[in-house]
Amino acid sequence: MRIPPRGRAKFPLALFALAVLSSCTASSPPEIPRSTAPPEYGGRFVFPLRTEPATLNFVTASDQPSDLVARLVGDSLVDRDVDLNVVPRLAASWEFADGGRTLTFHLRPGVRFHDGHPLTSADVKYTYERVIDKTSHALARLDGFLPVERVETPDERTVRVVYRFPYAPALSGWEMPILPRHLYEGEDFLTSRYNRAPIGSGPFRFISWEPGRRILLAANLDYWAGRPYLDTLDLEIIPSQETTLQALLAGEVDYAALTPVQWEAHSKDPSFLRRFATVQYLSLFFYYIAWRTDGSNPFFREGYVRTVLRGFGQVPDSIFHPAILPPDPELRPLGYDPQAAAALLDRAGWRLDPGSGLRRKDGTAFRFTLLIYGGAEEHVQYSQVAQESLRRLGVEMSIQRLDWPGLWARLQKGNFEAALSGAVPGVDPDDMLYGMLHSSQVHGGRNYAGFHDPQIDAWLQDGRRTVDPVARTVLYRSIARRLDDLQPYTYLFFPATRAALSRRIADIRPSPRGIIVQYPGVTRLRLSRPEGG
């Protein structure tokens, strides 16, 4: 157990850290084929989705499948490349003025939605208005627009955004796909038919959605950056990783994320490697436990990366992915030490009752319920490992499995003791921290733990207003160190994705976001020619 060295932490409840020791080391370079042949167009790429999208509305999309489809069918003003650098999309250029308070975008000429209607600055302003409209429930998009004072449209190709103060992560907010105003403004926004059959201006057009089976997209032949090489992109909904692997082996899908057991069974098999390339990367995604009380709760990570993931992940020193903020030399991942954890429980008054095997304090047994998403195998496995670890310490943890809508509703209402979930952190440090930690986000935001801390509130505000990158790093490291004391959330680990890809696919490179989401990503993916073809 690592006892905070700076006299930092005070734990009115027991503190127990059953943490992981192993971590994911630098991965091998991806083996995805590179084609030297002249570009050829055509073909179909079949990509599996673990869960079905909740909606295809670009603004209200909050789950990963919904966001994936939105980024393929829609187009944003700016985006991130494979190295997470900002790159232009709908905005050909932009500039800041007024000390950083004003951001002006210049849109590309001739961009059209898939129905042929021109995309203009009015569509950008309409999209912004839908995000800030409370009736839209666009929580995943809202944080980045809270500092906006107004959006102006001097002409059809100019968008001027005026912020209340110089806003450091301003560009990140505009990685959001733009809605077609002419289609949505005549319909109820939340029930519009375009929420299930979207029309955007992106590289792929929506064709169909067969619930429970697939979403089919086709190349936008009129895309401003040139049509994708592929003709069609088939997103197959396959919840089970075992079923996905069998579909890959049968040639029914072109990609499969592998479980640790599957990777160990196949990644060194010559016959498997003749048919499939392997790829691995540290995902821009983290698992966490939200504790719904005063921020001084028990927390645990008992050997999960080591035992269940078999090293397929990285235990962070903080919430920050190493691709976003370099590791802090003053912070280290929590170490696994159940004896020290038991001593802390004893010190806090939670004594082991030999009769029941449970720890008690003032006659109350130490037991609580952890909510999890029951549709994810890794969530179930993690909770079971943690449950057994806590049982050995004398703590009883019940597991309640919920479907995603049920878990999401409980998180939003704060109706839980502890909840295991995951999140995709934004590339800018503010993108995730403000929504999860600022006290203004307790009601109606993503601060599910109900966390209040005036010092962190102040640092978060300063982080938004500080444009100097060195000064911002100092601020966010200060936040990470204070979170290390208070633990309103336990940031568990970043999972490492290890996957297999059909060798007929060429010219795609993974990023922490995956193999599709980064730009240009799948738009440049193509089918490789057979040898001698």
Side-chain angles (χ1 to χ4, degrees), residues 290-331:
W291 304 102
R292 187 68 190 191
T293 54
D294 62 357
S296 307
N297 287 302
F299 59 102
F300 46 85
R301 293 184 286 186
E302 160 70 40
Y304 180 64
V305 170
R306 185 181 66 252
T307 58
V308 176
L309 295 185
R310 305 190 183 197
F312 281 37
Q314 180 167 311
V315 182
D317 58 13
S318 71
I319 189 176
F320 298 113
H321 190 284
I324 295 173
L325 198 68
D328 184 345
E330 290 196 27
L331 291 177

Side-chain angles (χ1 to χ4, degrees), residues 34-38 507 526:
R34 299 285 183 260
S35 176
T36 58
D507 295 343
R526 53 179 168 158

Side-chain angles (χ1 to χ4, degrees), residues 140-159:
R141 311 286 189 189
L142 182 59
D143 292 349
F145 290 135
L146 292 175
V148 174
E149 182 177 293
R150 64 184 183 276
V151 174
E152 302 172 344
T153 54
D155 58 56
E156 289 190 345
R157 288 179 50 202
T158 305
V159 178

Side-chain angles (χ1 to χ4, degrees), residues 238-482:
I238 310 176
S240 165
Q241 285 185 276
E242 182 58 39
T243 304
T244 302
L245 176 58
Q246 294 307 314
L248 179 75
L249 295 172
E252 297 169 355
V253 301
D254 293 305
Y255 173 90
L258 304 179
T259 67
V261 172
Q262 290 170 344
W263 178 269
E264 291 180 358
H266 296 288
S267 63
K268 296 180 181 179
D269 179 359
S271 62
F272 184 86
L273 295 177
R274 280 194 293 271
R275 297 180 59 199
F276 306 105
T278 57
V279 60
Q280 49 188 317
Y281 56 90
L282 194 64
S283 302
L284 192 62
F285 183 90
F286 68 88
Y287 286 100
Y288 66 88
I289 295 177
W291 304 102
R292 187 68 190 191
T293 54
D294 62 357
S296 307
N297 287 302
F299 59 102
F300 46 85
R301 293 184 286 186
E302 160 70 40
Y304 180 64
V305 170
R306 185 181 66 252
T307 58
V308 176
L309 295 185
R310 305 190 183 197
F312 281 37
Q314 180 167 311
V315 182
D317 58 13
S318 71
I319 189 176
F320 298 113
H321 190 284
I324 295 173
L325 198 68
D328 184 345
E330 290 196 27
L331 291 177
R332 289 178 299 166
L334 292 166
Y336 174 54
D337 192 338
Q339 291 184 340
L344 281 174
L345 286 164
D346 288 339
R347 194 182 311 162
W350 293 98
R351 302 288 181 177
L352 195 62
D353 175 14
S356 65
L358 291 178
R359 291 184 178 270
R360 295 181 181 273
K361 181 177 181 180
D362 300 328
T364 301
F366 202 140
R367 52 167 59 98
F368 67 95
T369 299
L370 178 73
L371 305 187
I372 69 168
Y373 169 48
E377 298 166 26
E378 61 270 25
H379 290 212
V380 175
Q381 291 176 327
Y382 170 77
S383 60
Q384 291 172 340
V385 170
Q387 184 182 50
E388 174 59 21
S389 303
L390 293 174
R391 185 196 63 77
R392 293 197 297 265
L393 271 179
V395 176
E396 181 181 303
M397 184 187 81
S398 300
I399 301 169
Q400 184 176 355
R401 303 185 188 188
L402 300 171
D403 60 14
W404 175 247
L407 178 60
W408 177 243
R410 293 280 293 274
L411 285 170
Q412 289 181 302
K413 294 176 182 177
N415 183 18
F416 62 91
E417 293 175 293
L420 169 66
S421 191
V424 181
V427 175
D428 188 279
D430 178 81
D431 292 345
M432 179 57 67
L433 290 192
Y434 193 90
M436 288 190 75
L437 298 173
H438 197 276
S439 60
S440 67
Q441 303 302 296
V442 172
H443 302 292
R446 291 177 290 152
N447 188 346
Y448 307 130
F451 177 64
H452 296 78
D453 184 71
Q455 180 62 77
I456 286 184
D457 277 357
W459 281 332
L460 287 170
Q461 295 287 10
D462 290 344
R464 293 190 147 195
R465 298 168 183 262
T466 302
V467 296
D468 177 71
V470 175
R472 289 192 86 211
T473 296
V474 171
L475 282 167
Y476 288 115
R477 281 187 168 170
S478 297
I479 292 173
R481 292 168 189 172
R482 186 156 177 81

